[in-house]
PDB file of all heavy atoms in Angstrom:
ATOM      1  N   VAL X   1      12.217 -17.347 -10.392  1.00 97.00           N
ATOM      2  CA  VAL X   1      12.257 -16.738  -9.074  1.00 97.00           C
ATOM      3  C   VAL X   1      13.502 -15.716  -9.162  1.00 97.00           C
ATOM      4  O   VAL X   1      14.445 -15.946  -9.429  1.00 97.00           O
ATOM      5  CB  VAL X   1      12.517 -17.762  -7.975  1.00 97.00           C
ATOM      6  CG1 VAL X   1      12.608 -17.129  -6.606  1.00 97.00           C
ATOM      7  CG2 VAL X   1      11.457 -18.778  -7.978  1.00 97.00           C
ATOM      8  N   ALA X   2      13.122 -14.511  -8.665  1.00 97.00           N
ATOM      9  CA  ALA X   2      14.139 -13.489  -8.567  1.00 97.00           C
ATOM     10  C   ALA X   2      14.018 -12.697  -7.201  1.00 97.00           C
ATOM     11  O   ALA X   2      13.084 -12.909  -6.437  1.00 97.00           O
ATOM     12  CB  ALA X   2      13.842 -12.385  -9.731  1.00 97.00           C
ATOM     13  N   ILE X   3      15.027 -11.932  -6.930  1.00 97.00           N
ATOM     14  CA  ILE X   3      14.982 -11.090  -5.789  1.00 97.00           C
ATOM     15  C   ILE X   3      14.551  -9.714  -6.207  1.00 97.00           C
ATOM     16  O   ILE X   3      14.648  -9.260  -7.327  1.00 97.00           O
ATOM     17  CB  ILE X   3      16.353 -10.976  -5.071  1.00 97.00           C
ATOM     18  CG1 ILE X   3      17.401 -10.273  -6.002  1.00 97.00           C
ATOM     19  CG2 ILE X   3      16.862 -12.408  -4.631  1.00 97.00           C
ATOM     20  CD1 ILE X   3      18.692 -10.024  -5.270  1.00 97.00           C
ATOM     21  N   GLY X   4      14.025  -8.965  -5.254  1.00 98.00           N
ATOM     22  CA  GLY X   4      13.479  -7.620  -5.559  1.00 98.00           C
ATOM     23  C   GLY X   4      13.122  -6.758  -4.491  1.00 98.00           C
ATOM     24  O   GLY X   4      13.240  -7.174  -3.229  1.00 98.00           O
ATOM     25  N   ILE X   5      12.577  -5.598  -4.741  1.00 98.00           N
ATOM     26  CA  ILE X   5      12.122  -4.630  -3.847  1.00 98.00           C
ATOM     27  C   ILE X   5      10.847  -4.167  -4.310  1.00 98.00           C
ATOM     28  O   ILE X   5      10.629  -3.656  -5.421  1.00 98.00           O
ATOM     29  CB  ILE X   5      13.003  -3.412  -3.609  1.00 98.00           C
ATOM     30  CG1 ILE X   5      14.366  -3.872  -3.068  1.00 98.00           C
ATOM     31  CG2 ILE X   5      12.450  -2.315  -2.702  1.00 98.00           C
ATOM     32  CD1 ILE X   5      15.397  -2.710  -2.988  1.00 98.00           C
ATOM     33  N   GLU X   6       9.745  -4.316  -3.462  1.00 98.00           N
ATOM     34  CA  GLU X   6       8.491  -3.717  -3.681  1.00 98.00           C
ATOM     35  C   GLU X   6       8.461  -2.271  -3.202  1.00 98.00           C
ATOM     36  O   GLU X   6       8.861  -2.038  -2.079  1.00 98.00           O
ATOM     37  CB  GLU X   6       7.298  -4.473  -3.152  1.00 98.00           C
ATOM     38  CG  GLU X   6       5.835  -3.848  -3.623  1.00 98.00           C
ATOM     39  CD  GLU X   6       4.806  -4.097  -2.640  1.00 98.00           C
ATOM     40  OE1 GLU X   6       4.902  -5.015  -1.786  1.00 98.00           O
ATOM     41  OE2 GLU X   6       3.770  -3.382  -2.789  1.00 98.00           O
ATOM     42  N   ILE X   7       7.963  -1.341  -3.973  1.00 98.00           N
ATOM     43  CA  ILE X   7       7.784  -0.016  -3.465  1.00 98.00           C
ATOM     44  C   ILE X   7       6.254   0.157  -3.155  1.00 98.00           C
ATOM     45  O   ILE X   7       5.443   0.139  -4.054  1.00 98.00           O
ATOM     46  CB  ILE X   7       8.141   1.018  -4.610  1.00 98.00           C
ATOM     47  CG1 ILE X   7       9.698   0.833  -4.884  1.00 98.00           C
ATOM     48  CG2 ILE X   7       7.889   2.478  -4.043  1.00 98.00           C
ATOM     49  CD1 ILE X   7      10.620   0.981  -3.667  1.00 98.00           C
ATOM     50  N   ALA X   8       6.023   0.278  -1.965  1.00 98.00           N
ATOM     51  CA  ALA X   8       4.660   0.676  -1.465  1.00 98.00           C
ATOM     52  C   ALA X   8       4.359   2.050  -1.414  1.00 98.00           C
ATOM     53  O   ALA X   8       5.222   2.884  -0.782  1.00 98.00           O
ATOM     54  CB  ALA X   8       4.361   0.021  -0.152  1.00 98.00           C
ATOM     55  N   SER X   9       3.410   2.612  -1.966  1.00 98.00           N
ATOM     56  CA  SER X   9       3.122   4.001  -1.950  1.00 98.00           C
ATOM     57  C   SER X   9       1.630   4.292  -2.251  1.00 98.00           C
ATOM     58  O   SER X   9       1.045   3.620  -3.207  1.00 98.00           O
ATOM     59  CB  SER X   9       3.965   4.732  -2.879  1.00 98.00           C
ATOM     60  OG  SER X   9       3.896   6.245  -2.581  1.00 98.00           O
ATOM     61  N   SER X  10       1.045   5.188  -1.562  1.00 98.00           N
ATOM     62  CA  SER X  10      -0.418   5.608  -1.696  1.00 98.00           C
ATOM     63  C   SER X  10      -0.549   7.032  -1.478  1.00 98.00           C
ATOM     64  O   SER X  10       0.214   7.679  -0.809  1.00 98.00           O
ATOM     65  CB  SER X  10      -1.214   4.652  -0.784  1.00 98.00           C
ATOM     66  OG  SER X  10      -2.562   5.244  -0.628  1.00 98.00           O
ATOM     67  N   PRO X  11      -1.508   7.670  -2.113  1.00 98.00           N
ATOM     68  CA  PRO X  11      -1.889   9.094  -1.701  1.00 98.00           C
ATOM     69  C   PRO X  11      -2.256   9.206  -0.247  1.00 98.00           C
ATOM     70  O   PRO X  11      -2.232  10.266   0.390  1.00 98.00           O
ATOM     71  CB  PRO X  11      -3.036   9.450  -2.687  1.00 98.00           C
ATOM     72  CG  PRO X  11      -2.957   8.369  -3.800  1.00 98.00           C
ATOM     73  CD  PRO X  11      -2.391   7.191  -3.126  1.00 98.00           C
ATOM     74  N   LEU X  12      -2.824   8.047   0.224  1.00 98.00           N
ATOM     75  CA  LEU X  12      -3.294   8.052   1.632  1.00 98.00           C
ATOM     76  C   LEU X  12      -2.137   7.907   2.677  1.00 98.00           C
ATOM     77  O   LEU X  12      -1.480   6.902   2.754  1.00 98.00           O
ATOM     78  CB  LEU X  12      -4.255   6.865   1.804  1.00 98.00           C
ATOM     79  CG  LEU X  12      -5.623   7.000   1.145  1.00 98.00           C
ATOM     80  CD1 LEU X  12      -6.321   5.642   1.052  1.00 98.00           C
ATOM     81  CD2 LEU X  12      -6.574   7.932   1.810  1.00 98.00           C
ATOM     82  N   ARG X  13      -1.897   8.983   3.417  1.00 96.00           N
ATOM     83  CA  ARG X  13      -0.733   9.030   4.221  1.00 96.00           C
ATOM     84  C   ARG X  13      -0.953   7.914   5.381  1.00 96.00           C
ATOM     85  O   ARG X  13       0.069   7.288   5.729  1.00 96.00           O
ATOM     86  CB  ARG X  13      -0.662  10.340   4.952  1.00 96.00           C
ATOM     87  CG  ARG X  13      -0.459  11.472   4.068  1.00 96.00           C
ATOM     88  CD  ARG X  13      -0.283  12.822   4.746  1.00 96.00           C
ATOM     89  NE  ARG X  13      -0.459  13.977   3.851  1.00 96.00           N
ATOM     90  CZ  ARG X  13      -1.488  14.629   3.650  1.00 96.00           C
ATOM     91  NH1 ARG X  13      -2.615  14.409   4.433  1.00 96.00           N
ATOM     92  NH2 ARG X  13      -1.523  15.734   2.871  1.00 96.00           N
ATOM     93  N   ALA X  14      -2.136   7.676   5.786  1.00 96.00           N
ATOM     94  CA  ALA X  14      -2.359   6.773   6.888  1.00 96.00           C
ATOM     95  C   ALA X  14      -2.937   5.345   6.420  1.00 96.00           C
ATOM     96  O   ALA X  14      -3.626   4.747   7.161  1.00 96.00           O
ATOM     97  CB  ALA X  14      -3.297   7.403   7.986  1.00 96.00           C
ATOM     98  N   ILE X  15      -2.666   5.010   5.157  1.00 98.00           N
ATOM     99  CA  ILE X  15      -3.293   3.839   4.589  1.00 98.00           C
ATOM    100  C   ILE X  15      -3.098   2.672   5.443  1.00 98.00           C
ATOM    101  O   ILE X  15      -4.105   1.842   5.629  1.00 98.00           O
ATOM    102  CB  ILE X  15      -2.799   3.556   3.181  1.00 98.00           C
ATOM    103  CG1 ILE X  15      -3.553   2.449   2.525  1.00 98.00           C
ATOM    104  CG2 ILE X  15      -1.309   3.294   3.120  1.00 98.00           C
ATOM    105  CD1 ILE X  15      -3.341   2.291   1.013  1.00 98.00           C
ATOM    106  N   ASN X  16      -1.951   2.395   6.056  1.00 94.00           N
ATOM    107  CA  ASN X  16      -1.713   1.187   6.857  1.00 94.00           C
ATOM    108  C   ASN X  16      -2.378   1.233   8.218  1.00 94.00           C
ATOM    109  O   ASN X  16      -2.385   0.208   8.929  1.00 94.00           O
ATOM    110  CB  ASN X  16      -0.244   0.995   7.007  1.00 94.00           C
ATOM    111  CG  ASN X  16       0.341   0.324   5.760  1.00 94.00           C
ATOM    112  OD1 ASN X  16      -0.252   0.010   4.842  1.00 94.00           O
ATOM    113  ND2 ASN X  16       1.689   0.063   5.899  1.00 94.00           N
ATOM    114  N   ASP X  17      -3.007   2.355   8.509  1.00 96.00           N
ATOM    115  CA  ASP X  17      -3.809   2.483   9.774  1.00 96.00           C
ATOM    116  C   ASP X  17      -5.228   2.290   9.552  1.00 96.00           C
ATOM    117  O   ASP X  17      -6.061   2.251  10.557  1.00 96.00           O
ATOM    118  CB  ASP X  17      -3.478   3.837  10.433  1.00 96.00           C
ATOM    119  CG  ASP X  17      -2.070   4.016  10.858  1.00 96.00           C
ATOM    120  OD1 ASP X  17      -1.400   3.045  11.167  1.00 96.00           O
ATOM    121  OD2 ASP X  17      -1.565   5.221  10.713  1.00 96.00           O
ATOM    122  N   LEU X  18      -5.720   2.275   8.292  1.00 97.00           N
ATOM    123  CA  LEU X  18      -7.132   2.213   7.992  1.00 97.00           C
ATOM    124  C   LEU X  18      -7.686   0.912   7.690  1.00 97.00           C
ATOM    125  O   LEU X  18      -8.890   0.717   7.426  1.00 97.00           O
ATOM    126  CB  LEU X  18      -7.358   3.198   6.746  1.00 97.00           C
ATOM    127  CG  LEU X  18      -6.969   4.623   6.900  1.00 97.00           C
ATOM    128  CD1 LEU X  18      -7.108   5.343   5.552  1.00 97.00           C
ATOM    129  CD2 LEU X  18      -7.637   5.168   8.136  1.00 97.00           C
ATOM    130  N   GLY X  19      -6.862  -0.081   7.716  1.00 97.00           N
ATOM    131  CA  GLY X  19      -7.380  -1.601   7.594  1.00 97.00           C
ATOM    132  C   GLY X  19      -7.153  -2.167   6.274  1.00 97.00           C
ATOM    133  O   GLY X  19      -6.946  -1.450   5.279  1.00 97.00           O
ATOM    134  N   PRO X  20      -7.147  -3.448   6.214  1.00 98.00           N
ATOM    135  CA  PRO X  20      -6.854  -4.190   4.977  1.00 98.00           C
ATOM    136  C   PRO X  20      -7.768  -3.964   3.767  1.00 98.00           C
ATOM    137  O   PRO X  20      -7.320  -3.894   2.639  1.00 98.00           O
ATOM    138  CB  PRO X  20      -7.022  -5.725   5.376  1.00 98.00           C
ATOM    139  CG  PRO X  20      -6.825  -5.691   6.864  1.00 98.00           C
ATOM    140  CD  PRO X  20      -7.425  -4.435   7.401  1.00 98.00           C
ATOM    141  N   ALA X  21      -9.043  -3.643   4.071  1.00 98.00           N
ATOM    142  CA  ALA X  21     -10.041  -3.378   2.979  1.00 98.00           C
ATOM    143  C   ALA X  21      -9.687  -2.061   2.317  1.00 98.00           C
ATOM    144  O   ALA X  21      -9.802  -1.987   1.081  1.00 98.00           O
ATOM    145  CB  ALA X  21     -11.463  -3.309   3.535  1.00 98.00           C
ATOM    146  N   VAL X  22      -9.253  -1.095   2.963  1.00 98.00           N
ATOM    147  CA  VAL X  22      -8.807   0.196   2.478  1.00 98.00           C
ATOM    148  C   VAL X  22      -7.535  -0.146   1.602  1.00 98.00           C
ATOM    149  O   VAL X  22      -7.406   0.482   0.504  1.00 98.00           O
ATOM    150  CB  VAL X  22      -8.622   1.270   3.480  1.00 98.00           C
ATOM    151  CG1 VAL X  22      -7.895   2.422   3.023  1.00 98.00           C
ATOM    152  CG2 VAL X  22      -9.909   1.805   4.078  1.00 98.00           C
ATOM    153  N   THR X  23      -6.564  -0.822   2.106  1.00 98.00           N
ATOM    154  CA  THR X  23      -5.363  -1.140   1.477  1.00 98.00           C
ATOM    155  C   THR X  23      -5.709  -1.743   0.065  1.00 98.00           C
ATOM    156  O   THR X  23      -5.201  -1.394  -0.937  1.00 98.00           O
ATOM    157  CB  THR X  23      -4.421  -2.050   2.253  1.00 98.00           C
ATOM    158  OG1 THR X  23      -4.155  -1.331   3.474  1.00 98.00           O
ATOM    159  CG2 THR X  23      -3.241  -2.457   1.571  1.00 98.00           C
ATOM    160  N   VAL X  24      -6.612  -2.738   0.163  1.00 98.00           N
ATOM    161  CA  VAL X  24      -7.004  -3.507  -1.043  1.00 98.00           C
ATOM    162  C   VAL X  24      -7.517  -2.443  -2.140  1.00 98.00           C
ATOM    163  O   VAL X  24      -7.267  -2.487  -3.306  1.00 98.00           O
ATOM    164  CB  VAL X  24      -8.044  -4.590  -0.731  1.00 98.00           C
ATOM    165  CG1 VAL X  24      -8.758  -5.047  -2.021  1.00 98.00           C
ATOM    166  CG2 VAL X  24      -7.338  -5.743  -0.138  1.00 98.00           C
ATOM    167  N   SER X  25      -8.377  -1.566  -1.700  1.00 98.00           N
ATOM    168  CA  SER X  25      -9.051  -0.645  -2.597  1.00 98.00           C
ATOM    169  C   SER X  25      -8.064   0.244  -3.299  1.00 98.00           C
ATOM    170  O   SER X  25      -8.428   0.624  -4.421  1.00 98.00           O
ATOM    171  CB  SER X  25     -10.086   0.267  -1.861  1.00 98.00           C
ATOM    172  OG  SER X  25      -9.432   1.209  -1.010  1.00 98.00           O
ATOM    173  N   ASP X  26      -7.000   0.650  -2.706  1.00 98.00           N
ATOM    174  CA  ASP X  26      -5.956   1.447  -3.369  1.00 98.00           C
ATOM    175  C   ASP X  26      -4.846   0.583  -3.896  1.00 98.00           C
ATOM    176  O   ASP X  26      -3.661   0.890  -3.527  1.00 98.00           O
ATOM    177  CB  ASP X  26      -5.472   2.575  -2.440  1.00 98.00           C
ATOM    178  CG  ASP X  26      -4.588   3.655  -3.236  1.00 98.00           C
ATOM    179  OD1 ASP X  26      -4.929   3.858  -4.364  1.00 98.00           O
ATOM    180  OD2 ASP X  26      -3.649   4.109  -2.527  1.00 98.00           O
ATOM    181  N   PHE X  27      -5.214  -0.307  -4.808  1.00 98.00           N
ATOM    182  CA  PHE X  27      -4.098  -1.113  -5.456  1.00 98.00           C
ATOM    183  C   PHE X  27      -3.200  -1.957  -4.474  1.00 98.00           C
ATOM    184  O   PHE X  27      -2.047  -2.142  -4.798  1.00 98.00           O
ATOM    185  CB  PHE X  27      -3.232  -0.265  -6.438  1.00 98.00           C
ATOM    186  CG  PHE X  27      -4.067   0.330  -7.542  1.00 98.00           C
ATOM    187  CD1 PHE X  27      -3.595   1.558  -8.067  1.00 98.00           C
ATOM    188  CD2 PHE X  27      -5.190  -0.277  -8.068  1.00 98.00           C
ATOM    189  CE1 PHE X  27      -4.308   2.166  -9.144  1.00 98.00           C
ATOM    190  CE2 PHE X  27      -5.864   0.351  -9.123  1.00 98.00           C
ATOM    191  CZ  PHE X  27      -5.487   1.462  -9.599  1.00 98.00           C
TER     192      PHE X  27
END
């Protein structure tokens, strides 16, 4: 178990507004 930082990033600027299925599709 370690501490860390996840870097979330996507080409889709609005990815978090497009729903979980879209988020899943882009890694």
Side-chain angles (χ1 to χ4, degrees):
V1 178
I3 64 172
I5 297 175
E6 184 205 345
I7 300 300
S9 189
S10 166
L12 292 160
R13 303 182 191 100
I15 187 169
N16 279 1
D17 301 323
L18 299 177
V22 165
T23 299
V24 164
S25 72
D26 189 31
F27 298 151

